[in-house]
Amino acid sequence: REGACNAATFIVGYWYAVEMLQSLGVQGPTLQAVNEVLSVHQSPFRISPPELARASPPATPVRVSANAGTMASGPIDIEQALRLQLAAAQYQLGDRIGSGASGVVYRAHDQALGRTVAVKTAHPPTGPGDDRRLGRFRHEVKLLSLVQHPGIPYVLAAGEASGVPYLVMQYIEGESLRERFKQTPRLGSQAACRITLRVLRALAHAHARNIVHRDVKPENILLSSDDEAYLIDFSIGVSLKHVPGLTRLTGDGLVPGTVDYLAPEVRDDARWDHRVDVYST
């Protein structure tokens, strides 16, 4: 692991030096010039001639921001940064298994415990307004850290890769309730009651901690292979109790939630509480 991190730091340090020199108009940076830039930025690495010869530019180089010292936006760069960050924590990033408005979900392998986990990361920033979206993801991470219930996937770890937050959590093998509806438009009464009760118990746990989900819908209910229901995606959830960073997350002028499942008081912008989740369920 240490060797992999050192190699990654070397590559990032090298390309950072090259980008800096090219931005200053220096063409074909020499070994001495590269090492000078590495020294200025307090990198512990120096490039010897054999290493310089091997470090040929990749097809899509990792671009580094000279101002912030972090990788710039772009899905390939962020995924590379995420892969390296997770590797340091003994998680091996796998394939992408889902994507939505709040972020992207990957399958990953916990090398320490030999189990499959899920990694959710925010979409990389692309323009104005992204700070609010990244803030919403960090907001979700904080909310999930406050709940521990069998009907809510538990959190294993959280962090940031190149300024983009990510979350390592329990992996649920299965499908969403929406996907189930496509196969079986009408569930039997027993299945419907079992799923509803499981979701209501998860919500009761969250409500006891003053957390409101605000977006209960079939897409946010996962059904495992053994038909257990899990409530997911707290990205627009809020705390009814005043907690810095968790009480409200607004500012985009949009009504939170999904129209088909919104309680009337939310649509009318009236006072509301945890019962809006019960209505949606």
Side-chain angles (χ1 to χ4, degrees):
R1 185 175 67 183
E2 182 179 356
C5 290
N6 288 345
T9 305
F10 159 73
I11 293 297
V12 171
Y14 170 71
W15 283 110
Y16 181 58
V18 172
E19 292 287 333
M20 285 285 291
L21 289 169
Q22 289 179 345
S23 69
L24 295 173
V26 179
Q27 300 298 322
T30 64
L31 172 63
Q32 181 180 357
V34 171
N35 282 332
E36 285 177 0
V37 175
L38 290 174
S39 176
V40 167
H41 290 276
Q42 301 179 348
S43 169
F45 298 98
R46 297 296 179 270
I47 304 174
S48 63
E51 289 172 320
L52 185 62
R54 290 197 299 269
S56 57
T60 306
V62 176
R63 302 186 63 82
V64 182
S65 167
N67 294 327
T70 57
M71 294 186 183
S73 62
I76 296 179
D77 296 348
I78 293 301
E79 187 170 316
Q80 290 173 342
L82 179 63
R83 193 177 302 277
L84 291 172
Q85 184 87 359
L86 290 172
Q90 297 189 8
Y91 294 109
Q92 183 178 3
L93 192 66
D95 55 323
R96 182 183 297 197
I97 57 177
S99 179
S102 62
V104 180
V105 181
Y106 297 87
R107 184 184 288 108
H109 180 66
D110 183 342
Q111 295 176 306
L113 298 178
R115 60 181 174 179
T116 300
V117 297
V119 176
K120 182 178 180 180
T121 181
H123 293 294
T126 56
D130 287 331
D131 288 344
R132 186 182 296 116
R133 181 166 49 79
L134 294 177
R136 186 174 288 116
F137 191 97
R138 296 184 181 101
H139 173 90
E140 179 183 11
V141 173
K142 291 179 182 178
L143 284 179
L144 286 174
S145 69
L146 300 177
V147 296
Q148 292 183 344
H149 186 270
I152 302 173
Y154 52 81
V155 176
L156 294 168
E160 298 202 3
S162 293
V164 177
Y166 68 85
L167 180 66
V168 182
M169 57 199 309
Q170 178 186 6
Y171 174 74
I172 308 298
E173 180 72 47
E175 61 186 355
S176 71
L177 182 57
R178 174 66 69 197
E179 292 170 327
R180 176 68 60 84
F181 283 154
K182 292 178 182 178
Q183 303 170 13
T184 310
R186 293 183 65 87
L187 299 177
S189 58
Q190 289 187 348
C193 287
R194 183 176 65 252
I195 293 170
T196 303
L197 286 174
R198 173 93 164 186
V199 172
L200 288 174
R201 288 179 180 131
L203 286 171
H205 175 84
H207 295 165
R209 286 149 184 80
N210 296 298
I211 295 172
V212 182
H213 188 281
R214 296 205 297 178
D215 199 19
V216 180
K217 58 183 179 180
E219 289 83 355
N220 287 338
I221 298 173
L222 283 183
L223 301 178
S224 65
S225 54
D226 55 357
D227 235 19
E228 292 287 359
Y230 294 84
L231 182 64
I232 64 171
D233 198 349
F234 281 72
S235 58
I236 63 171
V238 295
S239 174
L240 295 179
K241 182 180 179 181
H242 180 69
V243 178
L246 295 182
T247 306
R248 285 288 188 271
L249 193 65
T250 58
D252 51 13
L254 300 176
V255 177
T258 304
V259 174
D260 290 345
Y261 305 97
L262 281 180
E265 58 267 37
V266 178
R267 291 197 297 266
D268 297 338
D269 199 24
R271 292 182 62 86
W272 51 266
D273 56 24
H274 65 278
R275 288 173 290 183
V276 300
D277 286 342
V278 180
Y279 178 94
S280 299
T281 305

